[in-house]
């Protein structure tokens, strides 16, 4: 996709605070090095943890995490003043 649209592509990495130590920096570094794409990192630890509070079912957690990643993307798009659309 990055080859097709070039620098108009901006990728969003929603940080859930559920990563191992140093993993965020590694993801950012390796992703950009491998793709050359612009990467925006959105800190979403509070919303991820609040949404997961009290949930013990693994399938339920998976769905919640998926929804939170979508919300992180939507929030990044809103703060960019529509730049990506």
């Amino acid at each position: 996709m990055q080859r097709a649209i070039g620098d108009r592509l901006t990728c969003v990495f929603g940080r859930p605070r559920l990563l191992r130590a140093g993993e965020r920096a590694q993801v950012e570094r390796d992703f950009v090095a491998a793709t050359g794409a612009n990467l925006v990192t959105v800190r979403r630890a509070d919303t991820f943890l609040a949404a997961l509070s009290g949930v013990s079912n693994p399938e339920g957690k998976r769905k919640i995490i998926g929804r939170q990643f979508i919300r992180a993307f939507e929030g990044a798009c809103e703060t960019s003043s529509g730049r990506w659309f």
Side-chain angles (χ1 to χ4, degrees):
M1 183 185 230
Q2 205 264 340
R3 280 185 260 154
I5 65 173
D7 64 356
R8 294 179 298 168
L9 174 67
T10 300
C11 300
V12 177
F13 174 42
R15 286 179 44 200
R17 203 177 103 185
L18 302 172
L19 303 172
R20 294 176 187 92
E23 194 170 14
R24 176 194 56 83
Q26 180 184 356
V27 166
E28 292 172 337
R29 182 183 62 247
D30 293 350
F31 180 82
V32 173
T35 65
N38 298 321
L39 180 65
V40 173
T41 301
V42 181
R43 185 177 180 275
R44 300 292 295 202
D46 296 338
T47 56
F48 271 86
L49 295 177
L52 290 168
S53 179
V55 179
S56 59
N57 178 311
E59 182 64 16
K61 287 181 179 183
R62 185 190 67 75
K63 289 179 180 181
I64 289 169
I65 290 170
R67 281 194 300 270
Q68 291 304 313
F69 274 111
I70 291 168
R71 299 298 172 262
F73 175 77
E74 291 170 342
C77 292
E78 289 172 7
T79 60
S80 71
S81 302
R83 188 179 98 205
W84 299 328
F85 295 112

